[in-house]
Amino acid sequence: MKFVPETIGFFDFNVIKHHQDYLHFSITFSFGKHYCEVTGMGWLGKKKVHYYISGIVMDKKYASFEEAKAVGIAVVQDSAVFEFLQLDNLTKTYIKAKLSNKS
C-alpha cells in the first residue's frame, strides 16, 4: 500500500481582531478526512512572519497538541505551528497580507 499525503480541501483565514502590530486570527480548513478550526496570533518580524496556534478543534471536538499531529500541527520551540509546509505558507502569506494592508 502506497502512502498518499494528506491534502487540503479548503482553507479560510479570518481576522478576529487586528491589533496595531499583530493579528488574532482563526483558520477553518480540511486536511485529509479532518475538518479543523484553529485560532492563533500572528505578527511580522524583521525578516519573516511569525505565528502560533493557541486553540485547535478537530472534527467539532477540542484537540490536544498530540491529536493535532494528524492535521500537520506540531509544537516547535514551545509554540504550536503548522508542520505541513503548505498550511504554514498559506498562514504566513495571509498574516503578511493582512498586516501590510493597514485599512
Side-chain angles (χ1 to χ4, degrees), residues 6-7 10 27-38 55-64 67-73:
E6 299 291 354
T7 58
F10 67 90
I27 300 170
T28 305
F29 67 99
S30 65
F31 189 79
K33 64 181 180 180
H34 299 286
Y35 175 83
C36 307
E37 300 170 71
V38 300
I56 306 161
V57 175
M58 288 174 51
D59 305 317
K60 300 187 181 185
K61 293 184 232 165
Y62 283 100
S64 68
E67 293 167 316
K69 286 180 181 179
V71 294
I73 296 173

mmCIF file of all heavy atoms in Angstrom, residues 6-7 10 27-38 55-64 67-73:
data_model
loop_
_atom_site.group_PDB
_atom_site.id
_atom_site.type_symbol
_atom_site.label_atom_id
_atom_site.label_comp_id
_atom_site.label_asym_id
_atom_site.label_seq_id
_atom_site.Cartn_x
_atom_site.Cartn_y
_atom_site.Cartn_z
ATOM 1 N N GLU A 6 -1.699 13.695 2.842
ATOM 2 C CA GLU A 6 -2.989 14.351 3.059
ATOM 3 C C GLU A 6 -3.075 15.609 2.198
ATOM 4 O O GLU A 6 -2.067 16.221 1.874
ATOM 5 C CB GLU A 6 -3.145 14.732 4.534
ATOM 6 C CG GLU A 6 -3.103 13.558 5.480
ATOM 7 C CD GLU A 6 -4.319 12.662 5.372
ATOM 8 O OE1 GLU A 6 -5.275 12.973 4.647
ATOM 9 O OE2 GLU A 6 -4.312 11.619 6.030
ATOM 10 N N THR A 7 -4.293 15.975 1.845
ATOM 11 C CA THR A 7 -4.474 17.172 1.033
ATOM 12 C C THR A 7 -5.394 18.156 1.746
ATOM 13 O O THR A 7 -6.217 17.781 2.573
ATOM 14 C CB THR A 7 -5.082 16.823 -0.337
ATOM 15 O OG1 THR A 7 -6.315 16.159 -0.132
ATOM 16 C CG2 THR A 7 -4.147 15.947 -1.143
ATOM 17 N N PHE A 10 -9.940 22.826 1.667
ATOM 18 C CA PHE A 10 -10.202 24.267 1.656
ATOM 19 C C PHE A 10 -9.430 24.908 2.788
ATOM 20 O O PHE A 10 -8.967 24.237 3.712
ATOM 21 C CB PHE A 10 -11.704 24.582 1.754
ATOM 22 C CG PHE A 10 -12.318 24.199 3.064
ATOM 23 C CD1 PHE A 10 -12.356 25.094 4.127
ATOM 24 C CD2 PHE A 10 -12.868 22.946 3.249
ATOM 25 C CE1 PHE A 10 -12.911 24.736 5.345
ATOM 26 C CE2 PHE A 10 -13.436 22.580 4.459
ATOM 27 C CZ PHE A 10 -13.456 23.478 5.509
ATOM 28 N N ILE A 27 -8.608 30.077 11.511
ATOM 29 C CA ILE A 27 -8.490 29.404 10.227
ATOM 30 C C ILE A 27 -9.390 28.177 10.270
ATOM 31 O O ILE A 27 -9.356 27.407 11.234
ATOM 32 C CB ILE A 27 -7.045 28.953 9.939
ATOM 33 C CG1 ILE A 27 -6.099 30.149 9.919
ATOM 34 C CG2 ILE A 27 -6.973 28.171 8.622
ATOM 35 C CD1 ILE A 27 -4.629 29.777 9.882
ATOM 36 N N THR A 28 -10.194 28.024 9.247
ATOM 37 C CA THR A 28 -11.004 26.825 9.067
ATOM 38 C C THR A 28 -10.437 26.125 7.839
ATOM 39 O O THR A 28 -10.223 26.758 6.808
ATOM 40 C CB THR A 28 -12.479 27.194 8.828
ATOM 41 O OG1 THR A 28 -12.917 28.029 9.906
ATOM 42 C CG2 THR A 28 -13.357 25.951 8.771
ATOM 43 N N PHE A 29 -10.156 24.833 7.974
ATOM 44 C CA PHE A 29 -9.579 24.103 6.845
ATOM 45 C C PHE A 29 -9.906 22.622 6.950
ATOM 46 O O PHE A 29 -10.287 22.133 8.009
ATOM 47 C CB PHE A 29 -8.062 24.320 6.771
ATOM 48 C CG PHE A 29 -7.287 23.729 7.921
ATOM 49 C CD1 PHE A 29 -6.642 22.507 7.797
ATOM 50 C CD2 PHE A 29 -7.180 24.399 9.126
ATOM 51 C CE1 PHE A 29 -5.925 21.959 8.848
ATOM 52 C CE2 PHE A 29 -6.468 23.871 10.189
ATOM 53 C CZ PHE A 29 -5.834 22.640 10.046
ATOM 54 N N SER A 30 -9.774 21.956 5.829
ATOM 55 C CA SER A 30 -9.887 20.497 5.851
ATOM 56 C C SER A 30 -8.526 19.930 5.484
ATOM 57 O O SER A 30 -7.796 20.496 4.654
ATOM 58 C CB SER A 30 -10.958 20.007 4.881
ATOM 59 O OG SER A 30 -10.597 20.289 3.555
ATOM 60 N N PHE A 31 -8.188 18.856 6.147
ATOM 61 C CA PHE A 31 -6.903 18.200 5.928
ATOM 62 C C PHE A 31 -7.177 16.714 5.892
ATOM 63 O O PHE A 31 -7.511 16.115 6.914
ATOM 64 C CB PHE A 31 -5.943 18.562 7.062
ATOM 65 C CG PHE A 31 -4.532 18.113 6.829
ATOM 66 C CD1 PHE A 31 -3.686 18.829 6.004
ATOM 67 C CD2 PHE A 31 -4.038 16.985 7.458
ATOM 68 C CE1 PHE A 31 -2.370 18.427 5.807
ATOM 69 C CE2 PHE A 31 -2.732 16.570 7.268
ATOM 70 C CZ PHE A 31 -1.902 17.293 6.434
ATOM 71 N N GLY A 32 -7.112 16.147 4.691
ATOM 72 C CA GLY A 32 -7.485 14.740 4.557
ATOM 73 C C GLY A 32 -8.946 14.577 4.933
ATOM 74 O O GLY A 32 -9.807 15.306 4.447
ATOM 75 N N LYS A 33 -9.234 13.689 5.858
ATOM 76 C CA LYS A 33 -10.617 13.438 6.290
ATOM 77 C C LYS A 33 -11.055 14.334 7.452
ATOM 78 O O LYS A 33 -12.183 14.243 7.914
ATOM 79 C CB LYS A 33 -10.776 11.972 6.684
ATOM 80 C CG LYS A 33 -9.948 11.582 7.883
ATOM 81 C CD LYS A 33 -10.087 10.129 8.236
ATOM 82 C CE LYS A 33 -9.224 9.834 9.447
ATOM 83 N NZ LYS A 33 -9.276 8.488 9.886
ATOM 84 N N HIS A 34 -10.165 15.199 7.934
ATOM 85 C CA HIS A 34 -10.457 16.018 9.116
ATOM 86 C C HIS A 34 -10.930 17.425 8.745
ATOM 87 O O HIS A 34 -10.388 18.057 7.846
ATOM 88 C CB HIS A 34 -9.220 16.151 10.004
ATOM 89 C CG HIS A 34 -8.721 14.858 10.534
ATOM 90 N ND1 HIS A 34 -9.364 14.175 11.525
ATOM 91 C CD2 HIS A 34 -7.645 14.114 10.178
ATOM 92 C CE1 HIS A 34 -8.693 13.064 11.780
ATOM 93 N NE2 HIS A 34 -7.651 13.000 10.969
ATOM 94 N N TYR A 35 -11.925 17.912 9.503
ATOM 95 C CA TYR A 35 -12.404 19.291 9.413
ATOM 96 C C TYR A 35 -11.845 19.992 10.646
ATOM 97 O O TYR A 35 -12.033 19.515 11.778
ATOM 98 C CB TYR A 35 -13.932 19.311 9.427
ATOM 99 C CG TYR A 35 -14.505 20.709 9.455
ATOM 100 C CD1 TYR A 35 -14.643 21.447 8.284
ATOM 101 C CD2 TYR A 35 -14.883 21.297 10.656
ATOM 102 C CE1 TYR A 35 -15.153 22.732 8.302
ATOM 103 C CE2 TYR A 35 -15.394 22.588 10.684
ATOM 104 C CZ TYR A 35 -15.527 23.296 9.509
ATOM 105 O OH TYR A 35 -16.021 24.566 9.526
ATOM 106 N N CYS A 36 -11.142 21.103 10.448
ATOM 107 C CA CYS A 36 -10.436 21.735 11.562
ATOM 108 C C CYS A 36 -10.704 23.231 11.660
ATOM 109 O O CYS A 36 -10.921 23.896 10.651
ATOM 110 C CB CYS A 36 -8.934 21.538 11.383
ATOM 111 S SG CYS A 36 -8.454 19.840 11.144
ATOM 112 N N GLU A 37 -10.645 23.717 12.887
ATOM 113 C CA GLU A 37 -10.729 25.137 13.173
ATOM 114 C C GLU A 37 -9.627 25.444 14.174
ATOM 115 O O GLU A 37 -9.545 24.775 15.208
ATOM 116 C CB GLU A 37 -12.077 25.491 13.790
ATOM 117 C CG GLU A 37 -13.267 25.149 12.904
ATOM 118 C CD GLU A 37 -14.577 25.284 13.668
ATOM 119 O OE1 GLU A 37 -14.960 26.423 13.964
ATOM 120 O OE2 GLU A 37 -15.179 24.239 13.961
ATOM 121 N N VAL A 38 -8.783 26.425 13.856
ATOM 122 C CA VAL A 38 -7.734 26.818 14.788
ATOM 123 C C VAL A 38 -7.789 28.324 15.011
ATOM 124 O O VAL A 38 -8.275 29.064 14.171
ATOM 125 C CB VAL A 38 -6.312 26.412 14.295
ATOM 126 C CG1 VAL A 38 -6.198 24.920 14.118
ATOM 127 C CG2 VAL A 38 -5.926 27.127 13.019
ATOM 128 N N GLY A 55 -5.529 27.468 19.844
ATOM 129 C CA GLY A 55 -6.685 26.598 20.037
ATOM 130 C C GLY A 55 -6.928 25.735 18.821
ATOM 131 O O GLY A 55 -6.798 26.204 17.691
ATOM 132 N N ILE A 56 -7.255 24.482 19.048
ATOM 133 C CA ILE A 56 -7.454 23.546 17.939
ATOM 134 C C ILE A 56 -8.739 22.756 18.155
ATOM 135 O O ILE A 56 -8.930 22.141 19.205
ATOM 136 C CB ILE A 56 -6.284 22.533 17.848
ATOM 137 C CG1 ILE A 56 -4.950 23.268 17.767
ATOM 138 C CG2 ILE A 56 -6.480 21.591 16.671
ATOM 139 C CD1 ILE A 56 -3.761 22.392 18.127
ATOM 140 N N VAL A 57 -9.615 22.802 17.152
ATOM 141 C CA VAL A 57 -10.824 21.980 17.149
ATOM 142 C C VAL A 57 -10.746 21.093 15.910
ATOM 143 O O VAL A 57 -10.603 21.592 14.797
ATOM 144 C CB VAL A 57 -12.107 22.845 17.114
ATOM 145 C CG1 VAL A 57 -13.350 21.970 16.984
ATOM 146 C CG2 VAL A 57 -12.188 23.722 18.357
ATOM 147 N N MET A 58 -10.792 19.777 16.139
ATOM 148 C CA MET A 58 -10.768 18.821 15.034
ATOM 149 C C MET A 58 -12.076 18.048 15.040
ATOM 150 O O MET A 58 -12.458 17.501 16.077
ATOM 151 C CB MET A 58 -9.612 17.820 15.204
ATOM 152 C CG MET A 58 -8.253 18.398 14.953
ATOM 153 S SD MET A 58 -6.908 17.237 15.332
ATOM 154 C CE MET A 58 -7.389 15.777 14.443
ATOM 155 N N ASP A 59 -12.738 18.041 13.924
ATOM 156 C CA ASP A 59 -13.981 17.292 13.789
ATOM 157 C C ASP A 59 -14.963 17.624 14.917
ATOM 158 O O ASP A 59 -15.563 16.760 15.532
ATOM 159 C CB ASP A 59 -13.681 15.791 13.720
ATOM 160 C CG ASP A 59 -12.696 15.469 12.609
ATOM 161 O OD1 ASP A 59 -12.854 16.029 11.496
ATOM 162 O OD2 ASP A 59 -11.746 14.702 12.847
ATOM 163 N N LYS A 60 -15.064 18.935 15.198
ATOM 164 C CA LYS A 60 -16.005 19.507 16.173
ATOM 165 C C LYS A 60 -15.706 19.151 17.624
ATOM 166 O O LYS A 60 -16.563 19.273 18.493
ATOM 167 C CB LYS A 60 -17.453 19.153 15.811
ATOM 168 C CG LYS A 60 -17.829 19.690 14.444
ATOM 169 C CD LYS A 60 -19.280 19.497 14.147
ATOM 170 C CE LYS A 60 -19.564 20.047 12.760
ATOM 171 N NZ LYS A 60 -20.930 20.032 12.402
ATOM 172 N N LYS A 61 -14.454 18.724 17.932
ATOM 173 C CA LYS A 61 -14.035 18.449 19.312
ATOM 174 C C LYS A 61 -12.695 19.120 19.555
ATOM 175 O O LYS A 61 -11.826 19.101 18.680
ATOM 176 C CB LYS A 61 -13.869 16.945 19.543
ATOM 177 C CG LYS A 61 -15.153 16.164 19.478
ATOM 178 C CD LYS A 61 -14.882 14.711 19.806
ATOM 179 C CE LYS A 61 -15.474 13.868 18.709
ATOM 180 N NZ LYS A 61 -15.061 12.529 18.648
ATOM 181 N N TYR A 62 -12.541 19.702 20.751
ATOM 182 C CA TYR A 62 -11.248 20.281 21.079
ATOM 183 C C TYR A 62 -10.190 19.191 21.027
ATOM 184 O O TYR A 62 -10.410 18.076 21.479
ATOM 185 C CB TYR A 62 -11.260 20.934 22.468
ATOM 186 C CG TYR A 62 -11.962 22.265 22.454
ATOM 187 C CD1 TYR A 62 -13.270 22.393 22.881
ATOM 188 C CD2 TYR A 62 -11.305 23.398 21.979
ATOM 189 C CE1 TYR A 62 -13.927 23.607 22.835
ATOM 190 C CE2 TYR A 62 -11.944 24.628 21.929
ATOM 191 C CZ TYR A 62 -13.249 24.716 22.362
ATOM 192 O OH TYR A 62 -13.884 25.923 22.308
ATOM 193 N N ALA A 63 -9.028 19.541 20.453
ATOM 194 C CA ALA A 63 -7.962 18.558 20.266
ATOM 195 C C ALA A 63 -6.717 18.979 21.038
ATOM 196 O O ALA A 63 -6.414 20.172 21.153
ATOM 197 C CB ALA A 63 -7.628 18.429 18.787
ATOM 198 N N SER A 64 -6.009 17.997 21.537
ATOM 199 C CA SER A 64 -4.722 18.254 22.186
ATOM 200 C C SER A 64 -3.669 18.445 21.100
ATOM 201 O O SER A 64 -3.888 18.116 19.932
ATOM 202 C CB SER A 64 -4.339 17.069 23.065
ATOM 203 O OG SER A 64 -4.047 15.935 22.247
ATOM 204 N N GLU A 67 -3.012 15.123 19.501
ATOM 205 C CA GLU A 67 -4.012 14.739 18.492
ATOM 206 C C GLU A 67 -3.858 15.557 17.211
ATOM 207 O O GLU A 67 -4.110 15.074 16.116
ATOM 208 C CB GLU A 67 -5.428 14.932 19.048
ATOM 209 C CG GLU A 67 -5.774 13.997 20.185
ATOM 210 C CD GLU A 67 -7.050 14.402 20.919
ATOM 211 O OE1 GLU A 67 -7.225 15.613 21.197
ATOM 212 O OE2 GLU A 67 -7.843 13.503 21.197
ATOM 213 N N ALA A 68 -3.437 16.812 17.357
ATOM 214 C CA ALA A 68 -3.327 17.721 16.206
ATOM 215 C C ALA A 68 -2.201 17.345 15.247
ATOM 216 O O ALA A 68 -2.147 17.858 14.130
ATOM 217 C CB ALA A 68 -3.145 19.153 16.694
ATOM 218 N N LYS A 69 -1.339 16.439 15.648
ATOM 219 C CA LYS A 69 -0.289 15.964 14.733
ATOM 220 C C LYS A 69 -0.911 15.364 13.478
ATOM 221 O O LYS A 69 -0.328 15.416 12.402
ATOM 222 C CB LYS A 69 0.594 14.928 15.424
ATOM 223 C CG LYS A 69 1.531 15.521 16.443
ATOM 224 C CD LYS A 69 2.376 14.427 17.087
ATOM 225 C CE LYS A 69 3.302 15.010 18.135
ATOM 226 N NZ LYS A 69 4.102 13.953 18.783
ATOM 227 N N ALA A 70 -2.118 14.821 13.616
ATOM 228 C CA ALA A 70 -2.817 14.203 12.480
ATOM 229 C C ALA A 70 -3.161 15.213 11.390
ATOM 230 O O ALA A 70 -3.402 14.832 10.249
ATOM 231 C CB ALA A 70 -4.085 13.498 12.963
ATOM 232 N N VAL A 71 -3.194 16.509 11.728
ATOM 233 C CA VAL A 71 -3.505 17.540 10.735
ATOM 234 C C VAL A 71 -2.314 18.465 10.492
ATOM 235 O O VAL A 71 -2.466 19.597 10.053
ATOM 236 C CB VAL A 71 -4.772 18.363 11.106
ATOM 237 C CG1 VAL A 71 -6.005 17.481 11.059
ATOM 238 C CG2 VAL A 71 -4.625 19.044 12.448
ATOM 239 N N GLY A 72 -1.135 17.970 10.775
ATOM 240 C CA GLY A 72 0.077 18.710 10.446
ATOM 241 C C GLY A 72 0.444 19.829 11.389
ATOM 242 O O GLY A 72 1.146 20.750 11.008
ATOM 243 N N ILE A 73 -0.019 19.766 12.639
ATOM 244 C CA ILE A 73 0.336 20.780 13.635
ATOM 245 C C ILE A 73 1.345 20.158 14.595
ATOM 246 O O ILE A 73 1.165 19.033 15.055
ATOM 247 C CB ILE A 73 -0.908 21.265 14.410
ATOM 248 C CG1 ILE A 73 -1.862 21.974 13.443
ATOM 249 C CG2 ILE A 73 -0.511 22.191 15.562
ATOM 250 C CD1 ILE A 73 -3.205 22.353 14.041
#
